[in-house]
Amino acid sequence: MADTALVDPVTGLTQAQLAARHGLRVAGERPSLAEYSRRLWAYRHFIAAYANAKLVASYSNAKLGQIWQVLTPLTNAAVYYLIFGVVLKQNEIPNFIAYLTTGLFIFNFTQSAVLAGTQSISGNLGLIRALHFPRASLPLAATLTQFQQLLASMVVLIAIVLVTGEPITLDWLMLAPALLLQAVFNAGVVMICARMGAKAGDLKQVMPFILRTWMYGSGVLYSVTLFTRLPEWAATIIQYNPMLVYIELARHALLEQAPVLNGSLVQLWLVALAWALVTGIGGFIYFWRGEQEYGRG
């Protein structure tokens, strides 16, 4: 009886057959991965415009405006230098100021992107429910916003590196691909956190603690050679920590005598590339699989 009720008495077709005949589809149906990628590319201008708008709006109520893009990481660097450079005397590291600042700026790129991405779906439910567009546009826009902030920070970082006595070398050119690989890695992590944050609203409360722990395990504030004192299994895990890898690549590029945990630069690049590809592609697929869930309930 249930099957008979679904058959149209005039045409003799089921509701599914009628929908297929007239080209109707389920509202919010998830497209194929290839089609989803194509739609996302078509929205690239929206992603860029939305990222720019978020960047401007984030400092609209501050008197100094977007100058805080530079002042915030500089203030953090000054505080950490006071604690680790003056109080705890980590000054045995050559050019500790540039070493510390490089680690902070690189880590802050990922930290800020993850925090923004965690709320990119849950914080935009009105937009999601009002308009039809690939939802991955929102976490990608969050990543792009933080990448723009990173570029402003890099201007300050390079000035610090020069003022503290580091020479300009060809190795500086390697900073650009390192940042691009980190940006791809960040995009993947942000999309993972965006889907998780859409389901678990409390994630944004927990994430700062996770990120703080991650920072302490990434050699941001002190010499990475301290990790060699750990048991071999723990040192091996830390050696493949993606944030440690991207920070070390940046320090390799800008500093002549930065202490390193892994002496093989080729291995660092291979690990950085692997993290970018696995996390970027995996995060995108993971987010795409939840496309139908966003904005519902």
Side-chain angles (χ1 to χ4, degrees), residues 43-110:
Y43 274 83
R44 63 190 182 279
H45 301 299
F46 164 75
I47 296 173
Y50 189 72
N52 289 331
K54 293 288 286 185
L55 181 62
V56 173
S58 62
Y59 297 102
S60 60
N61 294 324
K63 290 185 178 180
L64 295 179
Q66 296 189 37
I67 296 177
W68 282 108
Q69 292 183 57
V70 174
L71 290 181
T72 299
L74 275 179
T75 304
N76 286 333
V79 172
Y80 285 123
Y81 177 74
L82 176 64
I83 296 173
F84 289 89
V86 178
V87 178
L88 299 180
K89 298 187 183 301
Q90 289 285 322
N91 287 322
E92 69 273 7
I93 300 175
N95 198 355
F96 180 66
I97 295 177
Y99 180 90
L100 172 66
T101 309
T102 301
L104 281 172
F105 282 23
I106 297 300
F107 186 83
N108 186 68
F109 175 31
T110 295

Side-chain angles (χ1 to χ4, degrees), residues 81-240:
Y81 177 74
L82 176 64
I83 296 173
F84 289 89
V86 178
V87 178
L88 299 180
K89 298 187 183 301
Q90 289 285 322
N91 287 322
E92 69 273 7
I93 300 175
N95 198 355
F96 180 66
I97 295 177
Y99 180 90
L100 172 66
T101 309
T102 301
L104 281 172
F105 282 23
I106 297 300
F107 186 83
N108 186 68
F109 175 31
T110 295
Q111 176 177 254
S112 300
V114 169
L115 289 174
T118 301
Q119 302 181 66
S120 60
I121 297 298
S122 58
N124 290 285
L125 292 180
L127 180 64
I128 290 172
R129 290 168 179 169
L131 300 174
H132 179 70
F133 62 94
R135 307 315 189 197
S137 302
L138 297 175
L140 289 179
T143 306
L144 182 57
T145 298
Q146 299 307 319
F147 186 73
Q148 291 174 316
Q149 292 190 331
L150 173 71
L151 295 181
S153 298
M154 286 299 103
V155 174
V156 179
L157 175 60
I158 289 174
I160 292 173
V161 168
L162 289 174
V163 168
T164 53
E166 295 291 337
I168 299 175
T169 67
L170 289 177
D171 288 340
W172 282 33
L173 297 176
M174 303 308 295
L175 181 62
L179 295 180
L180 289 176
L181 287 177
Q182 186 188 0
V184 175
F185 169 79
N186 285 358
V189 175
V190 166
M191 284 188 281
I192 292 172
C193 291
R195 181 178 175 184
M196 294 174 63
K199 293 181 176 181
D202 290 339
L203 183 63
K204 66 179 180 180
Q205 308 299 336
V206 178
M207 193 56 69
F209 299 100
I210 297 174
L211 290 169
R212 193 174 301 124
T213 304
W214 197 5
M215 181 179 70
Y216 292 139
S218 300
V220 175
L221 308 173
Y222 39 75
S223 175
V224 295
T225 57
L226 294 176
F227 293 131
T228 58
R229 304 175 187 176
L230 297 173
E232 185 176 351
W233 64 268
T236 300
I237 292 175
I238 289 177
Q239 181 177 323
Y240 292 98

Side-chain angles (χ1 to χ4, degrees), residues 3-25:
D3 291 339
T4 305
L6 296 177
V7 176
D8 183 78
V10 177
T11 63
L13 300 176
T14 64
Q15 291 180 353
Q17 291 170 330
L18 279 172
R21 169 184 285 187
H22 296 284
L24 300 180
R25 305 177 68 88

